[in-house]
Amino acid sequence: MWQVTPRSLCRTGAQCWQRLLARTGSGSLRCGPVQTPSVAAARSLSSMAPAVCFSPATRSLFDKPLAIAVQGLSPRQQVTLRMSLQDETGELFEACARYQADDDGELDLTRCPALPGGSFSGLEPMGLLWALQPLKPFWRLVKRDVQTPLRLLLEVFEGHGPPHARLLAQAQHERVFLRDGVQRVPVREGRIRATLFLPPGHGPFPGIIDIYGAGGGLVEYRACLLANYGFAVLALAYYSYEDLPKDMKEFHLEYFEEAIIYMLQHRQVKGPGIGLLGISKGGDLCISMASFLKGITATALINGSVANVGAVLHYKDISIPPLGISPSRIKVNESGIADIVDLLNNPLEGPDRQSFIPLEKAECRFLFIVGQDDHNWKSEFFAVEGSKRLQAHGKEKPEIICYPGAGHYIEPPFFPMCAASMHLLVGRPVVWGGEPKAHCEAQVDAWQHIRAFFHQHLAGTLSETPNKL
């Protein structure tokens, strides 16, 4: 029998947030006033005006917690906090929450719960970030230029009334993606179109190839965040980028084999094998790579499929057809949003069995990250069937971590959940699933497990590189 491990996320509640926030630098946080230089300055000015206090004060890594407090309010004063973020295209994301200051006129989000009526309620120190939602319908937050920060604007308004209440205070904060010393190296070797991120130091470092889903292009933000922890990470494009194929008709594993060889021959990459990390369509590509190609030691999949999806896959004289679809099973609601969770056929039945990737050929360890509310496809079913297949062929049982309430796009920590957006292959908005709070907690927990998995199987250690800006 296989073992599916559901994660208990209660530990990522208030107590866990306080522990995480206490490690962000700039002093320690506890269940009392925030004792940082910026807070001390704000305290001395409390008689003049309220002040927003961040810790770290001005800049923080995107996947790290951010402590938020407001000083200088009146005792028990009611305020509304609004967080906003503008992406690189100019689209705005916003979240708001209602609070009441304590008896000292201090509002510390690690110990003051949000009141009902905003984007969230309860004790949620990072709620203003995970609850961010686009003002433009069906828009997803994607960071294209990882060398520039995303800027947060926090505004404090008087009372819990209309949105145009009196502004009491505001402050900006930068969320960055590269820590100091990480190198970003564009790669144009042979057919490879990619970006390599190298940690500071002499190396060599454990190597990972990072592959995103069916959106195409070159996606770098997860790779560079992972490089902050001591990995050499290659963000690999495979279609719809520069001179690569423009659409998803067919893929050749020889292209991905070139990327593996590039990494294994790089003097800054530690052998003898590398890791693979893929989400969605990138997940089944990673399984195919591990099944047919040499040099793979560990493969982590985020809501991936164990069947080939979307395009014919070729390797030498082998071809794997895509899993069949039944468009009649798509459900469309009154708003025109499609639920495609039942679109794919069963890869265990009839001719669709030819699409099942022979992952039993792989000589690596597997980690399956599963959102149990994934509405893109049945990720938990795929993970369980992959586990059965491996064990039936005498291979080691993979680790499967399931997250109730998590949808399809399990991103690095603190990316706001994308509930629905345009699907290029379906041609209309689709629902991705997930409940915002549970999804955010899953992202934090999954990120820790992914890093630990690669440290264990690529570096032989559970330690991590210190993460400082």
Side-chain angles (χ1 to χ4, degrees):
M1 291 293 289
W2 64 95
Q3 179 179 1
V4 179
T5 308
R7 297 298 298 170
S8 173
L9 296 176
C10 62
R11 67 184 180 85
T12 53
Q15 293 181 350
C16 185
W17 284 122
Q18 289 170 2
R19 292 197 300 271
L20 286 169
L21 290 167
R23 297 199 295 267
T24 58
S26 308
S28 62
L29 288 178
R30 52 189 175 86
C31 294
V34 180
Q35 301 296 328
T36 66
S38 58
V39 170
R43 192 183 302 280
S44 67
L45 296 174
S46 61
S47 60
M48 299 175 57
V52 174
C53 307
F54 293 116
S55 181
T58 58
R59 302 171 74 236
S60 60
L61 286 167
F62 195 93
D63 65 332
K64 290 296 185 181
L66 174 65
I68 301 172
V70 182
Q71 300 286 332
L73 298 170
S74 301
R76 315 296 293 176
Q77 182 174 357
Q78 293 187 337
V79 294
T80 298
L81 272 55
R82 181 173 70 191
M83 184 75 80
S84 58
L85 175 154
Q86 192 174 56
D87 72 8
E88 293 160 314
T89 69
E91 296 298 334
L92 197 65
F93 291 72
E94 286 188 355
C96 66
R98 296 176 174 182
Y99 287 97
Q100 181 171 288
D102 64 16
D103 292 334
D104 297 326
E106 179 181 339
L107 176 60
D108 179 352
L109 270 58
T110 64
R111 58 188 179 89
C112 293
L115 304 175
S119 302
F120 59 91
S121 61
L123 189 60
E124 299 292 342
M126 291 290 287
L128 287 169
L129 278 80
W130 62 249
L132 287 166
Q133 285 297 298
L135 300 188
K136 182 178 180 178
F138 313 128
W139 197 253
R140 177 171 158 244
L141 180 62
V142 177
K143 190 71 174 79
R144 296 297 180 187
D145 181 4
V146 299
Q147 299 176 96
T148 62
L150 286 172
R151 291 181 174 83
L152 300 174
L153 172 64
L154 180 62
E155 299 167 292
V156 183
F157 294 96
E158 186 175 42
H160 296 163
H164 299 294
R166 184 165 69 98
L167 179 65
L168 301 177
Q170 63 179 356
Q172 293 191 45
H173 185 86
E174 292 184 345
R175 298 284 273 174
V176 303
F177 289 78
L178 290 171
R179 80 179 183 96
D180 290 345
V182 173
Q183 299 179 57
R184 178 185 177 275
V185 183
V187 178
R188 302 296 183 272
E189 296 281 342
R191 293 178 294 178
I192 303 172
R193 301 295 177 262
T195 301
L196 178 63
F197 293 93
L198 294 171
H202 298 293
F205 309 100
I208 300 170
I209 295 177
D210 183 24
I211 304 178
Y212 254 80
L218 179 58
V219 183
E220 299 181 357
Y221 58 84
R222 186 173 62 195
C224 73
L225 287 172
L226 200 52
N228 294 332
Y229 294 90
F231 298 103
V233 189
L234 185 75
L236 182 65
Y238 59 96
Y239 91 103
S240 189
Y241 184 75
E242 294 185 354
D243 57 349
L244 295 176
K246 300 303 180 186
D247 48 31
M248 281 182 53
K249 290 184 178 179
E250 58 181 10
F251 295 122
H252 295 265
L253 275 182
E254 285 84 356
Y255 171 77
F256 301 91
E257 191 170 33
E258 279 191 46
I260 295 171
I261 294 170
Y262 170 82
M263 289 291 282
L264 290 174
Q265 292 180 348
H266 199 288
R267 61 182 180 84
Q268 290 288 77
V269 175
K270 176 184 177 182
I274 63 169
L276 303 176
L277 174 60
I279 184 172
S280 193
K281 174 59 188 176
D284 73 71
L285 284 171
C286 286
I287 292 179
S288 297
M289 294 166 70
S291 300
F292 291 102
L293 308 178
K294 302 297 184 181
I296 308 302
T297 300
T299 300
L301 312 160
I302 304 171
N303 287 329
S305 166
V306 292
N308 179 44
V309 178
V312 179
L313 184 71
H314 302 284
Y315 183 60
K316 297 181 179 178
D317 58 348
I318 300 171
S319 293
I320 301 179
L323 184 61
I325 62 173
S326 296
S328 62
R329 293 199 292 258
I330 297 177
K331 303 178 184 70
V332 181
N333 66 18
E334 295 178 354
S335 301
I337 305 174
D339 187 336
I340 62 171
V341 70
D342 295 318
L343 174 63
L344 294 175
N345 293 343
N346 188 335
L348 305 179
E349 298 176 353
D352 286 300
R353 288 179 294 181
Q354 298 177 38
S355 69
F356 205 110
I357 302 164
L359 73 168
E360 69 275 5
K361 297 179 180 293
E363 299 293 337
C364 71
R365 296 295 298 270
F366 284 101
L367 168 65
F368 289 85
I369 300 293
V370 173
Q372 290 183 302
D373 193 36
D374 184 355
H375 279 252
N376 180 70
W377 53 36
K378 299 177 181 179
S379 296
E380 185 174 5
F381 167 78
F382 288 143
V384 169
E385 292 305 321
S387 179
K388 289 180 182 178
R389 182 84 167 249
L390 286 168
Q391 292 179 78
H393 286 80
K395 295 302 178 71
E396 190 163 357
K397 178 175 60 178
E399 184 177 7
I400 303 176
I401 303 178
C402 294
Y403 294 98
H408 186 66
Y409 274 115
I410 297 178
E411 296 271 38
F414 312 123
F415 269 84
M417 188 193 84
C418 180
S421 68
M422 288 295 300
H423 193 300
L424 294 181
L425 304 184
V426 179
R428 66 164 68 234
V430 303
V431 59
W432 300 112
E435 185 279 318
K437 178 183 176 182
H439 190 90
C440 168
E441 292 173 339
Q443 290 185 157
V444 173
D445 195 71
W447 191 235
Q448 295 171 346
H449 277 275
I450 289 167
R451 297 189 333 249
F453 174 75
F454 285 129
H455 274 291
Q456 179 182 357
H457 296 295
L458 299 181
T461 175
L462 295 177
S463 64
E464 295 186 351
T465 301
N467 205 340
K468 298 180 181 179
L469 285 173

